[in-house]
Amino acid sequence: MKKIKSKKKIKAILFDLGKVILDFNFEPAFHRLARFTPLGVNAIEDYFWRSGLEVLYDGGKISSFEFYKEVKKVLKHSLSYKQFENIWNDIFTQKKEIVSLIKRLSRDYRLVIISNTNAMHYKYARKKYPVLGHFDSCILSFKEKMRKPDKKIYQTAAKACRAKPHEIFYIDDREDSTHAAKALGFNTFTFKNKPKDLIKKMKVLDII
């Protein structure tokens, strides 16, 4: 069992997943999809950003297979579910400096993920990236059926952290998310892909 630093102000660290632990880029996926559909890359990209389908999927309103079927109906692609899954998932790269930091923090703090993500992506990331095994709990939009910055998801995250909001340090790349959590009393940091700035903030809070 990890030793929680009881004398520290911060008891738990709450991490966003995308753009903090794992970077992602949908462009290669759109290009790969274009090989199997009469639509061009721009039309495929426009469909995903305008349809709202990803928001429904992330929010747990539709299943992975329903997501696949809806995309197939509109894009008229010829992919099986497994083929589509492989293309849709192959968008991630991990941030090495953050991975090293997580391993270091996991020795002394309760670590929790909070993420707007879908079942397909999370299943893939959990299998491919061992760093996710360092987390004690994961609050995922598709399971909770609500997305950041809904205040209820932060309340759920606080319970998972087993700490009061002022005892939690929360890292996210989106300001709307960190602002919402800060309003509830969380210590927050908006990550702009500069690990040194994050480490500096952690030192100020006596986390490391």
Side-chain angles (χ1 to χ4, degrees), residues 39-51:
L39 301 182
V41 174
N42 290 340
I44 292 170
E45 182 175 6
D46 185 67
Y47 164 68
F48 279 109
W49 299 151
R50 291 180 180 273
S51 67

PDB file of all heavy atoms in Angstrom, residues 39-51:
ATOM      1  N   LEU A  39     -16.273   9.503 -49.463  1.00  0.00           N
ATOM      2  CA  LEU A  39     -16.080  10.874 -49.007  1.00  0.00           C
ATOM      3  C   LEU A  39     -14.603  11.215 -48.857  1.00  0.00           C
ATOM      4  O   LEU A  39     -13.783  10.342 -48.556  1.00  0.00           O
ATOM      5  CB  LEU A  39     -16.781  11.094 -47.665  1.00  0.00           C
ATOM      6  CG  LEU A  39     -18.291  10.848 -47.624  1.00  0.00           C
ATOM      7  CD1 LEU A  39     -18.828  11.161 -46.234  1.00  0.00           C
ATOM      8  CD2 LEU A  39     -19.000  11.702 -48.666  1.00  0.00           C
ATOM      9  N   GLY A  40     -14.282  12.488 -49.054  1.00  0.00           N
ATOM     10  CA  GLY A  40     -12.916  12.942 -48.890  1.00  0.00           C
ATOM     11  C   GLY A  40     -12.584  13.225 -47.433  1.00  0.00           C
ATOM     12  O   GLY A  40     -13.469  13.233 -46.565  1.00  0.00           O
ATOM     13  N   VAL A  41     -11.314  13.476 -47.160  1.00  0.00           N
ATOM     14  CA  VAL A  41     -10.847  13.717 -45.799  1.00  0.00           C
ATOM     15  C   VAL A  41     -11.552  14.900 -45.156  1.00  0.00           C
ATOM     16  O   VAL A  41     -11.989  14.834 -43.996  1.00  0.00           O
ATOM     17  CB  VAL A  41      -9.313  13.943 -45.791  1.00  0.00           C
ATOM     18  CG1 VAL A  41      -8.844  14.351 -44.395  1.00  0.00           C
ATOM     19  CG2 VAL A  41      -8.581  12.682 -46.242  1.00  0.00           C
ATOM     20  N   ASN A  42     -11.699  16.003 -45.882  1.00  0.00           N
ATOM     21  CA  ASN A  42     -12.334  17.200 -45.323  1.00  0.00           C
ATOM     22  C   ASN A  42     -13.790  16.942 -44.946  1.00  0.00           C
ATOM     23  O   ASN A  42     -14.276  17.409 -43.914  1.00  0.00           O
ATOM     24  CB  ASN A  42     -12.245  18.368 -46.302  1.00  0.00           C
ATOM     25  CG  ASN A  42     -10.829  18.892 -46.448  1.00  0.00           C
ATOM     26  OD1 ASN A  42      -9.984  18.664 -45.583  1.00  0.00           O
ATOM     27  ND2 ASN A  42     -10.563  19.586 -47.548  1.00  0.00           N
ATOM     28  N   ALA A  43     -14.488  16.185 -45.787  1.00  0.00           N
ATOM     29  CA  ALA A  43     -15.893  15.864 -45.509  1.00  0.00           C
ATOM     30  C   ALA A  43     -16.015  14.954 -44.285  1.00  0.00           C
ATOM     31  O   ALA A  43     -16.936  15.109 -43.475  1.00  0.00           O
ATOM     32  CB  ALA A  43     -16.523  15.199 -46.729  1.00  0.00           C
ATOM     33  N   ILE A  44     -15.080  14.026 -44.145  1.00  0.00           N
ATOM     34  CA  ILE A  44     -15.085  13.131 -42.983  1.00  0.00           C
ATOM     35  C   ILE A  44     -14.840  13.923 -41.704  1.00  0.00           C
ATOM     36  O   ILE A  44     -15.559  13.765 -40.709  1.00  0.00           O
ATOM     37  CB  ILE A  44     -14.010  12.034 -43.145  1.00  0.00           C
ATOM     38  CG1 ILE A  44     -14.392  11.090 -44.290  1.00  0.00           C
ATOM     39  CG2 ILE A  44     -13.835  11.251 -41.840  1.00  0.00           C
ATOM     40  CD1 ILE A  44     -13.296  10.121 -44.678  1.00  0.00           C
ATOM     41  N   GLU A  45     -13.843  14.792 -41.737  1.00  0.00           N
ATOM     42  CA  GLU A  45     -13.532  15.621 -40.570  1.00  0.00           C
ATOM     43  C   GLU A  45     -14.712  16.515 -40.207  1.00  0.00           C
ATOM     44  O   GLU A  45     -15.082  16.638 -39.033  1.00  0.00           O
ATOM     45  CB  GLU A  45     -12.299  16.474 -40.848  1.00  0.00           C
ATOM     46  CG  GLU A  45     -11.880  17.334 -39.674  1.00  0.00           C
ATOM     47  CD  GLU A  45     -10.590  18.083 -39.926  1.00  0.00           C
ATOM     48  OE1 GLU A  45     -10.068  18.022 -41.059  1.00  0.00           O
ATOM     49  OE2 GLU A  45     -10.104  18.736 -38.984  1.00  0.00           O
ATOM     50  N   ASP A  46     -15.311  17.113 -41.204  1.00  0.00           N
ATOM     51  CA  ASP A  46     -16.460  17.997 -40.969  1.00  0.00           C
ATOM     52  C   ASP A  46     -17.621  17.235 -40.328  1.00  0.00           C
ATOM     53  O   ASP A  46     -18.285  17.741 -39.416  1.00  0.00           O
ATOM     54  CB  ASP A  46     -16.901  18.612 -42.299  1.00  0.00           C
ATOM     55  CG  ASP A  46     -18.002  19.642 -42.122  1.00  0.00           C
ATOM     56  OD1 ASP A  46     -17.735  20.695 -41.523  1.00  0.00           O
ATOM     57  OD2 ASP A  46     -19.138  19.377 -42.563  1.00  0.00           O
ATOM     58  N   TYR A  47     -17.828  16.014 -40.791  1.00  0.00           N
ATOM     59  CA  TYR A  47     -18.903  15.203 -40.233  1.00  0.00           C
ATOM     60  C   TYR A  47     -18.702  14.957 -38.740  1.00  0.00           C
ATOM     61  O   TYR A  47     -19.620  15.154 -37.934  1.00  0.00           O
ATOM     62  CB  TYR A  47     -19.002  13.866 -40.973  1.00  0.00           C
ATOM     63  CG  TYR A  47     -19.807  12.832 -40.230  1.00  0.00           C
ATOM     64  CD1 TYR A  47     -21.179  12.983 -40.046  1.00  0.00           C
ATOM     65  CD2 TYR A  47     -19.179  11.708 -39.667  1.00  0.00           C
ATOM     66  CE1 TYR A  47     -21.920  12.042 -39.332  1.00  0.00           C
ATOM     67  CE2 TYR A  47     -19.910  10.775 -38.958  1.00  0.00           C
ATOM     68  CZ  TYR A  47     -21.272  10.942 -38.792  1.00  0.00           C
ATOM     69  OH  TYR A  47     -21.989  10.020 -38.083  1.00  0.00           O
ATOM     70  N   PHE A  48     -17.509  14.540 -38.362  1.00  0.00           N
ATOM     71  CA  PHE A  48     -17.261  14.226 -36.955  1.00  0.00           C
ATOM     72  C   PHE A  48     -17.377  15.457 -36.060  1.00  0.00           C
ATOM     73  O   PHE A  48     -17.916  15.377 -34.955  1.00  0.00           O
ATOM     74  CB  PHE A  48     -15.894  13.567 -36.784  1.00  0.00           C
ATOM     75  CG  PHE A  48     -15.904  12.096 -37.099  1.00  0.00           C
ATOM     76  CD1 PHE A  48     -15.276  11.613 -38.238  1.00  0.00           C
ATOM     77  CD2 PHE A  48     -16.558  11.203 -36.274  1.00  0.00           C
ATOM     78  CE1 PHE A  48     -15.292  10.257 -38.536  1.00  0.00           C
ATOM     79  CE2 PHE A  48     -16.583   9.846 -36.557  1.00  0.00           C
ATOM     80  CZ  PHE A  48     -15.953   9.366 -37.692  1.00  0.00           C
ATOM     81  N   TRP A  49     -16.895  16.604 -36.523  1.00  0.00           N
ATOM     82  CA  TRP A  49     -16.920  17.795 -35.667  1.00  0.00           C
ATOM     83  C   TRP A  49     -18.297  18.454 -35.617  1.00  0.00           C
ATOM     84  O   TRP A  49     -18.630  19.116 -34.647  1.00  0.00           O
ATOM     85  CB  TRP A  49     -15.883  18.815 -36.129  1.00  0.00           C
ATOM     86  CG  TRP A  49     -14.457  18.343 -36.093  1.00  0.00           C
ATOM     87  CD1 TRP A  49     -13.437  18.756 -36.915  1.00  0.00           C
ATOM     88  CD2 TRP A  49     -13.852  17.402 -35.197  1.00  0.00           C
ATOM     89  NE1 TRP A  49     -12.260  18.125 -36.592  1.00  0.00           N
ATOM     90  CE2 TRP A  49     -12.483  17.283 -35.542  1.00  0.00           C
ATOM     91  CE3 TRP A  49     -14.329  16.626 -34.144  1.00  0.00           C
ATOM     92  CZ2 TRP A  49     -11.603  16.439 -34.870  1.00  0.00           C
ATOM     93  CZ3 TRP A  49     -13.456  15.776 -33.474  1.00  0.00           C
ATOM     94  CH2 TRP A  49     -12.121  15.689 -33.835  1.00  0.00           C
ATOM     95  N   ARG A  50     -19.102  18.256 -36.647  1.00  0.00           N
ATOM     96  CA  ARG A  50     -20.407  18.925 -36.692  1.00  0.00           C
ATOM     97  C   ARG A  50     -21.582  18.050 -36.250  1.00  0.00           C
ATOM     98  O   ARG A  50     -22.614  18.567 -35.839  1.00  0.00           O
ATOM     99  CB  ARG A  50     -20.680  19.459 -38.109  1.00  0.00           C
ATOM    100  CG  ARG A  50     -19.788  20.621 -38.527  1.00  0.00           C
ATOM    101  CD  ARG A  50     -20.124  21.090 -39.934  1.00  0.00           C
ATOM    102  NE  ARG A  50     -19.284  22.198 -40.341  1.00  0.00           N
ATOM    103  CZ  ARG A  50     -19.554  23.473 -40.085  1.00  0.00           C
ATOM    104  NH1 ARG A  50     -20.656  23.789 -39.420  1.00  0.00           N
ATOM    105  NH2 ARG A  50     -18.742  24.425 -40.495  1.00  0.00           N
ATOM    106  N   SER A  51     -21.428  16.749 -36.323  1.00  0.00           N
ATOM    107  CA  SER A  51     -22.564  15.856 -36.068  1.00  0.00           C
ATOM    108  C   SER A  51     -22.932  15.753 -34.593  1.00  0.00           C
ATOM    109  O   SER A  51     -24.078  15.451 -34.262  1.00  0.00           O
ATOM    110  CB  SER A  51     -22.239  14.448 -36.594  1.00  0.00           C
ATOM    111  OG  SER A  51     -21.198  13.854 -35.842  1.00  0.00           O
TER     112      SER A  51
END
